[in-house]
Amino acid sequence: MKITFYGGAGEVGRTCMLLENNGRNVMLDCGIKLGEKTEYPAVDDVKKVQAVTISHAHLDHSGFLPHIYAAGARPKIFATKPTRDLMGILLSDYYRIGVLRGEQKFSSKNVDQVLKDCKILEYDQEAVNGFRIRFYPAGHIMGSAITAVNNIVFSGDICMRKTRVLDPCRRNLEAETLIVESTYGGKNDILPGYRESFGKMVEIINETLDKGGHVIIPSFAVGRAQEVLLALDDYMRSGALRPTKIFMEGMIGKSMKIYRHNAIYANDDIKRRILMSEDDPFKSANFHRSRSKTKEDVLKEPSIIVTTSGMLSGGPVMFYLEKLGSDPKNTLIFVGYQAEGTLGKKVIDGQKKIRIGDREIELKLRIESIRISGHADFNELLQFIRSFKGLKKIFLMHGEKTDLAEYLEEYQVIIPKNLESYDI
Ligand SMILES: [Zn+2]
Ligand SMILES: [Zn+2]
């Protein structure tokens, strides 16, 4: 079997690999890298792709699919049901943004084709398509999967902790070769516990509201937003967080609906709350959507605004930074990973002047970063890797820097580069 890395090696974004064996092939993820300029995986001939497995709906794992359809490929796509549903909103939004920027490279019909061609593969079931393909829960976002192809396992993005919404990823799997994400592969990448992180977040929000300020929480529409919203709702119900309107902006409302439709994939706490009582956490009365184009309902009194995009690369968060960014009463709280080169990363690193359209804004609001990632941290990655049975070879990818190899001397560890191929 041969593996080629077309994207996602040494970087967070455009995850895309191809497995080939005896004239058959299957692509593992098919993502893009969003930044100031969109980057694509460097696949030479997309028409040869026979099948694609999608680990989860985030665009850095699924966004290249409509492009390969536009180029004439018609592969069989394997995804869990929530991944298919969430791709529906993320790919449509990606199409819309491309049209707005005047740089669209595929049509809305290509998006429809992708969704139509998706074969739903449930966790722990097997599909045979020249390869034996299985998905296991990955704990990262709803429907996210660890992908097994024969005796090769690709972690996708994994979370080892039980979160508000999801169970942790599956462990103790069997594999000879593991391709594993390493977003937090640096030895100092140790994340605090959720309780500690959310405790700090509640404190910061209360301080801001007491001063009459607004709180802006930039977030990915799918995954972090639901974790943050459900946590804020719980803290508000318990009285720890002052009663305030929580606004969902961008596509966050839509993805909440899809989370609700697929609640069977959530952890037991959520299922129990929905099934056994009238207490539906996805439909809390604390959640609001703006009814005004100029957003005066959001801006008129202190509020919490959970909004896309998570790395400040567009979306309604830019509007709110323009309106609220230069008032020191307000607070901006980052809750997710900020990739190199993004505005979010620059702001976290101290950049105060930002350009929005043709205006320059000086950021005077309080800026905080709370680490509630949907990814395994350094120690958890080691635990995850060491839990495998029969493991010999490891490829470390989906990360910008990694110290993991030093700690994994009992295995053959490879840190591949894009466009490299290996026999496995
Ligand atoms: Zn992801
Ligand atoms: Zn990812």
Side-chain angles (χ1 to χ4, degrees):
M1 182 113 65
K2 186 173 108 175
I3 183 165
T4 305
F5 291 84
Y6 286 115
E11 62 183 343
V12 176
R14 56 169 175 174
T15 294
C16 183
M17 294 156 281
L18 191 72
L19 290 173
E20 291 170 278
N21 193 27
N22 289 334
R24 302 298 298 252
N25 66 56
V26 55
M27 184 170 264
L28 303 175
D29 282 0
C30 193
I32 52 162
K33 188 172 184 177
L34 288 171
E36 273 156 40
K37 235 180 104 240
T38 308
E39 292 175 72
Y40 308 101
V43 191
D44 38 7
D45 176 16
V46 294
K47 278 198 206 144
K48 74 176 179 194
V49 180
Q50 297 163 348
V52 185
T53 58
I54 297 295
S55 67
H56 64 291
H58 282 155
L59 290 176
D60 60 319
H61 298 260
S62 75
F64 198 54
L65 279 173
H67 291 272
I68 71 169
Y69 271 65
R74 275 318 273 271
K76 217 178 220 180
I77 303 169
F78 295 98
T80 64
K81 183 179 173 296
T83 295
R84 197 266 318 264
D85 294 353
L86 290 167
M87 276 200 308
I89 55 169
L90 290 177
L91 292 179
S92 305
D93 187 60
Y94 174 43
Y95 168 74
R96 196 182 52 82
I97 290 168
V99 171
L100 286 178
R101 288 182 181 171
E103 56 174 36
Q104 200 42 279
K105 297 187 169 69
F106 57 86
S107 68
S108 64
K109 204 174 136 230
N110 296 137
V111 174
D112 295 342
Q113 286 169 326
V114 166
L115 300 174
K116 234 190 268 158
D117 280 1
C118 264
K119 302 262 171 295
I120 303 296
L121 182 61
E122 298 291 348
Y123 293 135
D124 293 300
Q125 290 182 354
E126 187 167 279
V128 181
N129 192 58
F131 302 87
R132 281 173 291 111
I133 299 167
R134 264 173 194 264
F135 287 142
Y136 303 101
H140 170 65
I141 63 169
M142 193 169 268
S144 65
I146 296 168
T147 310
V149 178
N150 296 354
N151 58 355
I152 298 159
V153 165
F154 164 49
S155 69
D157 292 0
I158 46 164
C159 181
M160 298 273 284
R161 305 170 188 203
K162 183 180 175 198
T163 66
R164 269 308 133 166
V165 183
L166 299 172
D167 282 323
C169 69
R170 187 73 58 81
R171 268 162 267 197
N172 308 317
L173 293 166
E174 237 166 277
E176 210 175 289
T177 301
L178 171 65
I179 306 150
V180 63
E181 71 127 315
S182 53
T183 316
Y184 290 110
K187 58 178 170 245
N188 297 322
D189 293 336
I190 308 295
L191 299 173
Y194 275 168
R195 195 177 286 271
E196 190 186 319
S197 297
F198 277 116
K200 188 168 164 224
M201 182 185 235
V202 165
E203 208 179 290
I204 296 166
I205 295 175
N206 280 336
E207 284 166 13
T208 306
L209 297 174
D210 285 348
K211 281 191 285 183
H214 291 269
V215 177
I216 308 172
I217 304 177
S219 170
F220 283 131
V222 174
R224 281 324 77 202
Q226 288 72 36
E227 297 289 347
V228 168
L229 285 164
L230 266 60
L232 293 179
D233 180 51
D234 282 346
Y235 283 108
M236 212 170 267
R237 288 176 195 229
S238 74
L241 190 61
R242 312 247 186 293
T244 318
K245 283 185 175 172
I246 303 172
F247 283 94
M248 307 186 285
E249 287 284 317
M251 285 183 313
I252 292 171
K254 265 193 204 161
S255 46
M256 280 291 265
K257 274 195 189 141
I258 293 183
Y259 262 60
R260 176 62 185 83
H261 287 310
N262 289 286
I264 187 84
Y265 295 87
N267 64 31
D268 286 346
D269 301 344
I270 299 278
K271 279 186 273 196
R272 206 172 304 122
R273 278 174 71 176
I274 294 174
L275 294 172
M276 312 292 273
S277 65
E278 298 288 276
D279 167 30
D280 188 330
F282 294 105
K283 294 181 183 165
S284 166
N286 293 320
F287 300 147
H288 299 268
R289 299 181 77 169
S290 172
R291 310 228 166 271
S292 143
K293 252 206 144 112
T294 49
K295 310 289 182 195
E296 62 251 322
D297 49 351
V298 186
L299 298 169
K300 79 170 178 240
E301 53 191 48
S303 63
I304 302 168
I305 308 157
V306 183
T307 177
T308 55
S309 80
M311 300 191 200
L312 310 188
S313 49
V317 71
M318 306 314 284
F319 169 87
Y320 288 110
L321 284 179
E322 190 178 345
K323 291 280 175 203
L324 304 169
S326 35
D327 185 342
K329 280 206 306 286
N330 302 322
T331 303
L332 175 67
I333 308 179
F334 288 102
V335 292
Y337 180 79
Q338 303 297 314
E340 290 297 335
T342 59
L343 181 60
K345 174 78 174 145
K346 288 174 191 158
V347 169
I348 277 196
D349 289 344
Q351 183 177 320
K352 291 287 174 212
K353 289 201 169 107
I354 61 167
R355 184 159 280 284
I356 301 175
D358 47 15
R359 282 191 63 192
E360 192 176 73
I361 307 288
E362 169 133 29
L363 295 179
K364 291 191 189 137
L365 80 178
R366 178 176 175 189
I367 295 167
E368 294 281 351
S369 177
I370 304 271
R371 304 182 89 183
I372 32 172
S373 177
H375 292 272
D377 74 3
F378 181 76
N379 288 331
E380 290 164 338
L381 283 169
L382 288 175
Q383 276 171 36
F384 175 76
I385 293 166
R386 289 183 180 134
S387 82
F388 273 81
K389 292 180 212 111
L391 186 61
K392 295 198 174 98
K393 197 181 273 190
I394 300 168
F395 290 94
L396 299 172
M397 44 81 67
H398 196 290
E400 285 160 355
K401 61 169 174 26
T402 173
D403 301 314
L404 288 161
E406 296 168 39
Y407 294 75
L408 295 166
E409 281 171 346
E410 62 271 45
Y411 307 100
Q412 183 190 350
V413 180
I414 298 162
I415 303 171
K417 294 195 177 72
N418 286 334
L419 289 177
E420 283 182 352
S421 293
Y422 295 84
D423 284 320
I424 45 176

mmCIF file with all atom_site columns, all heavy atoms in Angstrom, residues 56 60-61 157 398, ligand 2:
data_model
loop_
_atom_site.group_PDB
_atom_site.id
_atom_site.type_symbol
_atom_site.label_atom_id
_atom_site.label_alt_id
_atom_site.label_comp_id
_atom_site.label_asym_id
_atom_site.label_entity_id
_atom_site.label_seq_id
_atom_site.pdbx_PDB_ins_code
_atom_site.Cartn_x
_atom_site.Cartn_y
_atom_site.Cartn_z
_atom_site.occupancy
_atom_site.B_iso_or_equiv
_atom_site.pdbx_formal_charge
_atom_site.auth_seq_id
_atom_site.auth_comp_id
_atom_site.auth_asym_id
_atom_site.auth_atom_id
_atom_site.pdbx_PDB_model_num
ATOM   1  N  N   . HIS A 1 56  ? -14.536 14.530 9.369  1.00 0.00 ? 56  HIS A N   1
ATOM   2  C  CA  . HIS A 1 56  ? -15.548 15.424 9.948  1.00 0.00 ? 56  HIS A CA  1
ATOM   3  C  C   . HIS A 1 56  ? -15.753 16.620 9.039  1.00 0.00 ? 56  HIS A C   1
ATOM   4  O  O   . HIS A 1 56  ? -15.002 16.831 8.085  1.00 0.00 ? 56  HIS A O   1
ATOM   5  C  CB  . HIS A 1 56  ? -15.198 15.850 11.376 1.00 0.00 ? 56  HIS A CB  1
ATOM   6  C  CG  . HIS A 1 56  ? -13.958 16.675 11.517 1.00 0.00 ? 56  HIS A CG  1
ATOM   7  N  ND1 . HIS A 1 56  ? -12.694 16.182 11.310 1.00 0.00 ? 56  HIS A ND1 1
ATOM   8  C  CD2 . HIS A 1 56  ? -13.785 17.982 11.859 1.00 0.00 ? 56  HIS A CD2 1
ATOM   9  C  CE1 . HIS A 1 56  ? -11.802 17.138 11.520 1.00 0.00 ? 56  HIS A CE1 1
ATOM   10 N  NE2 . HIS A 1 56  ? -12.432 18.242 11.852 1.00 0.00 ? 56  HIS A NE2 1
ATOM   11 N  N   . ASP A 1 60  ? -11.379 22.346 6.699  1.00 0.00 ? 60  ASP A N   1
ATOM   12 C  CA  . ASP A 1 60  ? -9.995  21.907 6.492  1.00 0.00 ? 60  ASP A CA  1
ATOM   13 C  C   . ASP A 1 60  ? -9.919  20.393 6.283  1.00 0.00 ? 60  ASP A C   1
ATOM   14 O  O   . ASP A 1 60  ? -8.853  19.850 6.020  1.00 0.00 ? 60  ASP A O   1
ATOM   15 C  CB  . ASP A 1 60  ? -9.056  22.379 7.622  1.00 0.00 ? 60  ASP A CB  1
ATOM   16 C  CG  . ASP A 1 60  ? -9.431  21.875 8.995  1.00 0.00 ? 60  ASP A CG  1
ATOM   17 O  OD1 . ASP A 1 60  ? -10.634 21.860 9.321  1.00 0.00 ? 60  ASP A OD1 1
ATOM   18 O  OD2 . ASP A 1 60  ? -8.526  21.486 9.762  1.00 0.00 ? 60  ASP A OD2 1
ATOM   19 N  N   . HIS A 1 61  ? -11.076 19.722 6.359  1.00 0.00 ? 61  HIS A N   1
ATOM   20 C  CA  . HIS A 1 61  ? -11.135 18.280 6.092  1.00 0.00 ? 61  HIS A CA  1
ATOM   21 C  C   . HIS A 1 61  ? -12.111 17.928 4.963  1.00 0.00 ? 61  HIS A C   1
ATOM   22 O  O   . HIS A 1 61  ? -12.081 16.815 4.461  1.00 0.00 ? 61  HIS A O   1
ATOM   23 C  CB  . HIS A 1 61  ? -11.516 17.520 7.370  1.00 0.00 ? 61  HIS A CB  1
ATOM   24 C  CG  . HIS A 1 61  ? -10.500 17.713 8.457  1.00 0.00 ? 61  HIS A CG  1
ATOM   25 N  ND1 . HIS A 1 61  ? -9.535  16.779 8.741  1.00 0.00 ? 61  HIS A ND1 1
ATOM   26 C  CD2 . HIS A 1 61  ? -10.274 18.759 9.282  1.00 0.00 ? 61  HIS A CD2 1
ATOM   27 C  CE1 . HIS A 1 61  ? -8.753  17.240 9.718  1.00 0.00 ? 61  HIS A CE1 1
ATOM   28 N  NE2 . HIS A 1 61  ? -9.183  18.443 10.061 1.00 0.00 ? 61  HIS A NE2 1
ATOM   29 N  N   . ASP A 1 157 ? -9.329  14.667 13.595 1.00 0.00 ? 157 ASP A N   1
ATOM   30 C  CA  . ASP A 1 157 ? -9.128  15.530 14.759 1.00 0.00 ? 157 ASP A CA  1
ATOM   31 C  C   . ASP A 1 157 ? -9.775  14.830 15.953 1.00 0.00 ? 157 ASP A C   1
ATOM   32 O  O   . ASP A 1 157 ? -10.938 14.431 15.872 1.00 0.00 ? 157 ASP A O   1
ATOM   33 C  CB  . ASP A 1 157 ? -9.785  16.896 14.538 1.00 0.00 ? 157 ASP A CB  1
ATOM   34 C  CG  . ASP A 1 157 ? -9.079  17.707 13.450 1.00 0.00 ? 157 ASP A CG  1
ATOM   35 O  OD1 . ASP A 1 157 ? -8.090  17.197 12.878 1.00 0.00 ? 157 ASP A OD1 1
ATOM   36 O  OD2 . ASP A 1 157 ? -9.518  18.839 13.170 1.00 0.00 ? 157 ASP A OD2 1
ATOM   37 N  N   . HIS A 1 398 ? -1.090  17.311 10.591 1.00 0.00 ? 398 HIS A N   1
ATOM   38 C  CA  . HIS A 1 398 ? -2.077  18.250 11.144 1.00 0.00 ? 398 HIS A CA  1
ATOM   39 C  C   . HIS A 1 398 ? -1.486  18.973 12.358 1.00 0.00 ? 398 HIS A C   1
ATOM   40 O  O   . HIS A 1 398 ? -2.083  19.009 13.432 1.00 0.00 ? 398 HIS A O   1
ATOM   41 C  CB  . HIS A 1 398 ? -3.364  17.498 11.517 1.00 0.00 ? 398 HIS A CB  1
ATOM   42 C  CG  . HIS A 1 398 ? -4.570  18.392 11.728 1.00 0.00 ? 398 HIS A CG  1
ATOM   43 N  ND1 . HIS A 1 398 ? -4.677  19.241 12.804 1.00 0.00 ? 398 HIS A ND1 1
ATOM   44 C  CD2 . HIS A 1 398 ? -5.709  18.537 11.024 1.00 0.00 ? 398 HIS A CD2 1
ATOM   45 C  CE1 . HIS A 1 398 ? -5.851  19.871 12.732 1.00 0.00 ? 398 HIS A CE1 1
ATOM   46 N  NE2 . HIS A 1 398 ? -6.486  19.473 11.654 1.00 0.00 ? 398 HIS A NE2 1
HETATM 47 ZN ZN  . ZN  B 2 .   ? -8.628  19.924 11.531 1.00 0.00 ? 2   ZN  B ZN  1
#
